[in-house]
Amino acid sequence: MAKIQSYVWYAGYGSNLSEQRFLCYIEGGRPLYGTRFHNGCTDKSPPVHEAPITIHHSLYFALPAGIRKTENWGDGGVAFISPHQDQETSTLSRMWKITRAQYEEVKDQEGATWYNHEIKLGEEDGIPIYTITNKTILRNILEPSETYLKTIALGLKETYRFDEEKTTNYLIEKKGIEGEMTKEHILEIFLSK
């Protein structure tokens, strides 16, 4: 008798808004603007479905204390959300329906020391929706790299049909960008090849 697969929705709010980037965690490969090769999951089946979701946890860019860059994106912070819910805040996200086994492997590839807190956001069609972040609000706030921002822009365009200006307006007030980057500079990043 065939085993019934157990599924979850995984909600990505940073670079995992981008399909090409997220599929590196599932199928393996290197992100378009990244430098790190991922082995992917044992089961390389693509997500069964995907859908936009707005989550009420504030988005910010940071790294753990003492760290200034990542292996994949270079200098700068990456996306985290506050572990605390805030109904006044809207973070745009994209959820991917994958097997529970794939989800566990995605969490491992994300880095269990940085993304060490799982949040259940609710359910869709009886299937739980999870996202991950750091268990504390990181204090090492850092401006994200251009390559990381371009990856987020790809995901917002795919998921929400955002153009460069809408993407800039969405990101400009996030911690790590607010007061560190001008709208003109962000637009320049998105319009450059």
Side-chain angles (χ1 to χ4, degrees), residues 149-193:
L149 284 175
K150 283 184 173 186
T151 304
I152 291 175
L154 275 179
L156 289 170
K157 185 176 184 180
E158 293 166 3
T159 315
Y160 295 93
R161 305 293 177 254
F162 274 20
D163 60 14
E164 291 84 0
E165 189 162 345
K166 278 189 176 179
T167 299
T168 300
N169 289 337
Y170 169 67
L171 293 171
I172 195 71
E173 294 178 350
K174 308 301 182 192
K175 282 187 182 175
I177 293 178
E178 184 181 29
E180 301 296 328
M181 304 176 82
T182 64
K183 280 189 175 185
E184 292 73 23
H185 180 49
I186 298 171
L187 273 170
E188 193 178 283
I189 292 168
F190 294 153
L191 292 169
S192 68
K193 297 300 175 191

Side-chain angles (χ1 to χ4, degrees), residues 81-148:
I81 56 170
S82 167
H84 312 296
Q85 191 176 51
D86 177 3
Q87 289 299 330
E88 303 300 310
T89 301
S90 294
T91 293
L92 301 177
S93 181
R94 186 179 192 176
M95 58 183 191
W96 306 92
K97 187 178 177 182
I98 55 179
T99 69
R100 185 167 286 278
Q102 285 176 319
Y103 170 63
E104 294 301 328
E105 289 187 64
V106 167
K107 283 199 300 182
D108 287 343
Q109 292 180 77
E110 277 277 32
T113 54
W114 291 8
Y115 292 92
N116 54 16
H117 180 64
E118 180 180 81
I119 300 170
K120 185 177 180 184
L121 299 170
E123 293 188 353
E124 179 78 13
D125 299 328
I127 296 169
I129 306 166
Y130 295 112
T131 194
I132 53 176
T133 189
N134 197 278
K135 63 187 173 186
T136 63
I137 298 174
L138 298 174
R139 302 298 174 199
N140 184 23
I141 303 295
L142 293 169
E143 179 183 321
S145 68
E146 292 188 6
T147 54
Y148 193 73

